[in-house]
Amino acid sequence: SPFVWWVGHIVQYLYRLQPRMEEHVRAAKENIGFVEPIPGMQVRRTDKIWEAKYQPVDKYMPLIQRYYENRNATVKPVYLATDEASVVTELQTKYPDFTFLSDSGGGQR
């Protein structure tokens, strides 16, 4: 539908990154070695402790493993958004075949 097409373009224009923010995002991606395409996961521990039940990281990794099995990949980066630096270490220990990219400050790239 032409209307939907126009709305899509207007929304894309309105939500575009400003040059300063675009440069900030580019630098952050470069800093952690971000590549595309890449699966990602968010693990919230500190601020969600009172709102939701604790979810072990092992619950999510089978989906990411399946993602890479379907692609026969040898390099397996995963973007990890987390508020707890120990999650990076936990995942690196449990899943050494994967490279976890995070800017949490506590993990190794």
Side-chain angles (χ1 to χ4, degrees):
S1 151
F3 176 75
V4 174
W5 184 85
W6 278 108
V7 170
H9 280 281
I10 291 169
V11 170
Q12 182 180 12
Y13 176 78
L14 292 173
Y15 283 98
R16 74 193 184 287
L17 293 177
Q18 297 299 310
R20 191 168 137 211
M21 180 56 80
E22 192 170 357
E23 174 57 27
H24 178 75
V25 170
R26 187 206 57 75
K29 287 170 70 174
E30 184 178 299
N31 185 46
I32 65 168
F34 192 89
V35 294
E36 293 181 30
I38 185 171
M41 60 193 280
Q42 180 180 21
V43 179
R44 294 173 68 182
R45 296 273 170 87
T46 59
D47 65 337
K48 293 297 278 184
I49 194 167
W50 306 110
E51 296 176 32
K53 190 173 93 172
Y54 175 89
Q55 299 295 323
V57 294
D58 299 320
K59 178 177 179 179
Y60 303 103
M61 282 307 293
L63 297 170
I64 293 174
Q65 288 170 318
R66 192 170 335 134
Y67 173 86
Y68 281 117
E69 285 171 4
N70 292 337
R71 285 154 184 79
N72 295 320
T74 54
V75 178
K76 302 173 186 174
V78 177
Y79 178 71
L80 176 62
T82 184
D83 57 356
E84 181 63 46
S86 66
V87 173
V88 179
T89 306
E90 177 185 354
L91 283 166
Q92 288 172 332
T93 302
K94 289 182 175 181
Y95 302 95
D97 293 343
F98 293 85
T99 303
F100 294 94
L101 309 176
S102 179
D103 63 353
S104 66
Q108 172 184 346
R109 285 193 304 167

XYZ file of all heavy atoms in Angstrom, residues 48-85:
325
model
N 16.733 -6.047 37.714
C 15.505 -6.829 37.545
C 15.275 -7.829 38.676
O 14.311 -8.583 38.642
C 15.552 -7.596 36.220
C 15.523 -6.730 34.990
C 14.257 -5.937 34.878
C 13.152 -6.743 34.289
N 11.933 -5.982 34.068
N 16.130 -7.809 39.666
C 16.078 -8.826 40.717
C 14.733 -8.850 41.450
O 14.264 -9.901 41.860
C 17.253 -8.647 41.695
C 17.401 -9.886 42.566
C 17.097 -7.407 42.528
C 18.700 -9.950 43.330
N 14.068 -7.708 41.568
C 12.801 -7.659 42.304
C 11.599 -7.830 41.381
O 10.498 -8.067 41.839
C 12.681 -6.337 43.056
C 13.854 -6.095 43.932
C 14.823 -5.150 43.750
C 14.231 -6.812 45.098
N 15.769 -5.240 44.726
C 15.435 -6.253 45.586
C 13.682 -7.885 45.794
C 16.074 -6.733 46.720
C 14.330 -8.347 46.929
C 15.502 -7.771 47.377
N 11.808 -7.716 40.074
C 10.689 -7.747 39.138
C 10.454 -9.110 38.488
O 9.334 -9.419 38.114
C 10.932 -6.736 38.013
C 10.967 -5.314 38.479
C 11.300 -4.361 37.344
O 10.924 -4.654 36.196
O 11.939 -3.348 37.611
N 11.506 -9.861 38.289
C 11.363 -11.105 37.532
C 12.184 -12.218 38.166
O 13.146 -11.968 38.878
C 11.813 -10.881 36.092
N 11.784 -13.435 37.862
C 12.495 -14.603 38.351
C 13.855 -14.718 37.662
O 13.995 -14.416 36.478
C 11.651 -15.847 38.071
C 12.157 -17.099 38.732
C 11.161 -18.233 38.548
C 11.550 -19.006 37.322
N 10.795 -20.229 37.106
N 14.853 -15.148 38.391
C 16.192 -15.338 37.859
C 16.164 -16.346 36.712
O 15.560 -17.400 36.819
C 17.106 -15.844 38.985
C 18.495 -16.203 38.539
C 19.498 -15.242 38.515
C 18.813 -17.495 38.152
C 20.787 -15.571 38.115
C 20.087 -17.838 37.743
C 21.070 -16.865 37.733
O 22.339 -17.186 37.322
N 16.800 -16.003 35.602
C 16.876 -16.888 34.449
C 18.333 -17.251 34.193
O 19.154 -16.362 33.965
C 16.309 -16.205 33.200
C 14.855 -15.806 33.322
C 13.941 -17.007 33.452
O 14.165 -18.045 32.840
N 12.914 -16.863 34.253
N 18.686 -18.513 34.230
C 20.073 -18.897 33.960
C 20.423 -18.672 32.486
O 19.569 -18.789 31.610
C 20.112 -20.379 34.314
C 18.705 -20.845 34.161
C 17.835 -19.663 34.497
N 21.678 -18.344 32.231
C 22.110 -18.095 30.850
C 21.985 -19.355 29.997
O 21.823 -19.264 28.778
C 23.550 -17.547 30.799
C 23.626 -16.168 31.421
C 24.529 -18.496 31.450
N 22.046 -20.508 30.611
C 21.925 -21.770 29.873
C 20.574 -21.901 29.167
O 20.434 -22.677 28.229
C 22.126 -22.955 30.811
C 23.498 -22.945 31.450
O 24.469 -22.607 30.751
O 23.595 -23.250 32.647
N 19.596 -21.154 29.606
C 18.276 -21.196 28.985
C 18.308 -20.615 27.567
O 17.556 -21.034 26.706
C 17.288 -20.407 29.843
C 15.902 -20.334 29.292
C 14.991 -19.592 30.232
C 13.594 -19.495 29.658
N 12.677 -18.810 30.565
N 19.186 -19.649 27.323
C 19.206 -18.948 26.044
C 20.235 -19.480 25.058
O 20.073 -19.326 23.854
C 19.460 -17.459 26.278
C 18.428 -16.857 27.191
C 18.725 -16.593 28.521
C 17.146 -16.590 26.732
C 17.766 -16.060 29.373
C 16.183 -16.067 27.573
C 16.499 -15.797 28.887
O 15.548 -15.283 29.716
N 21.279 -20.080 25.553
C 22.365 -20.511 24.671
C 21.960 -21.567 23.636
O 22.492 -21.550 22.528
C 23.564 -20.978 25.491
C 24.393 -19.833 26.041
S 24.929 -18.628 24.806
C 26.048 -19.611 23.822
N 21.025 -22.473 23.902
C 20.647 -23.419 22.845
C 20.142 -22.719 21.579
O 20.391 -23.181 20.469
C 19.548 -24.264 23.494
C 19.879 -24.235 24.944
C 20.414 -22.847 25.188
N 19.464 -21.597 21.721
C 18.988 -20.860 20.547
C 20.159 -20.289 19.755
O 20.169 -20.325 18.522
C 18.053 -19.734 20.980
C 16.769 -20.181 21.669
C 16.042 -18.986 22.270
C 15.883 -20.913 20.693
N 21.141 -19.774 20.463
C 22.313 -19.216 19.794
C 23.147 -20.335 19.174
O 23.660 -20.189 18.061
C 23.124 -18.351 20.773
C 22.290 -17.117 21.125
C 24.472 -17.974 20.189
C 22.865 -16.223 22.171
N 23.255 -21.459 19.865
C 23.969 -22.606 19.294
C 23.295 -23.065 18.005
O 23.957 -23.343 17.005
C 24.032 -23.748 20.311
C 24.980 -23.462 21.454
C 24.869 -24.475 22.575
O 23.775 -24.886 22.953
N 26.012 -24.863 23.120
N 21.981 -23.123 18.007
C 21.241 -23.530 16.816
C 21.450 -22.524 15.672
O 21.574 -22.910 14.514
C 19.754 -23.658 17.128
C 19.000 -24.340 16.016
C 17.564 -24.711 16.370
N 17.336 -24.889 17.778
C 16.293 -24.372 18.431
N 15.394 -23.651 17.803
N 16.134 -24.586 19.718
N 21.498 -21.244 16.012
C 21.739 -20.201 15.009
C 23.039 -20.492 14.255
O 23.080 -20.451 13.027
C 21.804 -18.837 15.691
C 22.218 -17.705 14.784
C 21.271 -17.027 14.020
C 23.541 -17.307 14.699
C 21.644 -15.991 13.182
C 23.926 -16.272 13.862
C 22.971 -15.618 13.109
O 23.358 -14.598 12.285
N 24.102 -20.804 14.992
C 25.391 -21.045 14.347
C 25.479 -22.435 13.701
O 26.173 -22.605 12.706
C 26.539 -20.814 15.320
C 26.826 -19.342 15.478
C 26.667 -18.703 16.690
C 27.246 -18.585 14.388
C 26.922 -17.348 16.813
C 27.504 -17.235 14.505
C 27.340 -16.626 15.718
O 27.589 -15.272 15.836
N 24.783 -23.418 14.237
C 24.764 -24.749 13.603
C 24.155 -24.664 12.209
O 24.621 -25.318 11.272
C 23.969 -25.733 14.459
C 24.708 -26.201 15.688
C 23.819 -26.998 16.640
O 22.639 -27.246 16.313
O 24.312 -27.349 17.720
N 23.133 -23.840 12.059
C 22.481 -23.678 10.761
C 23.365 -22.948 9.752
O 23.090 -22.958 8.560
C 21.160 -22.923 10.915
C 20.127 -23.742 11.660
O 20.207 -24.964 11.696
N 19.169 -23.076 12.264
N 24.413 -22.299 10.215
C 25.293 -21.541 9.339
C 26.675 -22.178 9.182
O 27.516 -21.635 8.496
C 25.438 -20.122 9.876
C 24.193 -19.304 9.594
C 23.997 -18.189 10.570
N 22.750 -17.485 10.313
C 21.556 -17.906 10.681
N 21.431 -19.049 11.311
N 20.476 -17.213 10.424
N 26.915 -23.306 9.857
C 28.211 -23.983 9.803
C 29.356 -23.010 10.054
O 30.352 -22.986 9.342
C 28.405 -24.696 8.461
C 27.404 -25.811 8.275
O 27.103 -26.542 9.210
N 26.864 -25.921 7.078
N 29.203 -22.176 11.059
C 30.188 -21.130 11.350
C 31.336 -21.669 12.197
O 31.146 -22.514 13.066
C 29.516 -19.986 12.087
N 32.522 -21.165 11.937
C 33.676 -21.499 12.768
C 33.930 -20.403 13.789
O 34.364 -20.672 14.891
C 34.933 -21.703 11.911
O 35.137 -20.555 11.104
C 34.780 -22.930 11.017
N 33.654 -19.160 13.420
C 33.751 -18.030 14.350
C 32.337 -17.738 14.821
O 31.421 -17.608 14.011
C 34.359 -16.796 13.648
C 34.404 -15.614 14.589
C 35.741 -17.131 13.119
N 32.152 -17.646 16.143
C 30.803 -17.524 16.688
C 30.702 -16.348 17.666
O 30.655 -16.538 18.877
C 30.417 -18.817 17.399
C 30.463 -20.040 16.511
C 30.245 -21.290 17.317
C 30.430 -22.528 16.473
N 30.370 -23.743 17.259
N 30.622 -15.123 17.157
C 30.458 -13.985 18.059
C 29.011 -13.861 18.531
O 28.075 -14.191 17.810
C 30.855 -12.791 17.188
C 30.537 -13.221 15.808
C 30.769 -14.709 15.773
N 28.849 -13.396 19.762
C 27.532 -13.162 20.351
C 27.590 -11.810 21.052
O 28.474 -11.574 21.880
C 27.167 -14.253 21.387
C 25.821 -13.955 22.037
C 27.175 -15.634 20.757
N 26.655 -10.914 20.723
C 26.606 -9.639 21.440
C 25.858 -9.860 22.739
O 24.771 -10.414 22.767
C 25.913 -8.546 20.620
C 25.838 -7.275 21.414
C 26.988 -6.531 21.663
C 24.650 -6.848 21.971
C 26.947 -5.390 22.431
C 24.594 -5.707 22.741
C 25.741 -4.980 22.965
O 25.700 -3.851 23.745
N 26.465 -9.426 23.828
C 25.891 -9.612 25.158
C 25.666 -8.263 25.817
O 26.618 -7.539 26.112
C 26.837 -10.466 26.014
C 26.438 -10.683 27.469
C 25.106 -11.424 27.557
C 27.524 -11.451 28.197
N 24.405 -7.930 26.019
C 24.044 -6.716 26.753
C 23.738 -7.143 28.181
O 22.854 -7.967 28.407
C 22.829 -6.049 26.121
N 24.483 -6.622 29.122
C 24.278 -7.021 30.510
C 24.673 -5.903 31.453
O 25.495 -5.048 31.123
C 25.062 -8.308 30.852
O 24.738 -8.698 32.192
C 26.553 -8.117 30.721
N 24.092 -5.917 32.625
C 24.436 -4.959 33.663
C 25.346 -5.599 34.718
O 25.684 -4.985 35.704
C 23.172 -4.408 34.331
C 22.297 -5.506 34.929
O 22.625 -6.701 34.754
O 21.283 -5.182 35.557
N 25.731 -6.827 34.492
C 26.553 -7.566 35.454
C 27.757 -8.160 34.747
O 27.626 -9.084 33.942
C 25.706 -8.664 36.095
C 26.419 -9.489 37.122
C 26.881 -8.672 38.325
O 26.092 -7.866 38.850
O 28.044 -8.841 38.725
N 28.944 -7.644 35.046
C 30.169 -8.073 34.363
C 30.460 -9.557 34.563
O 31.052 -10.191 33.687
C 31.344 -7.237 34.849
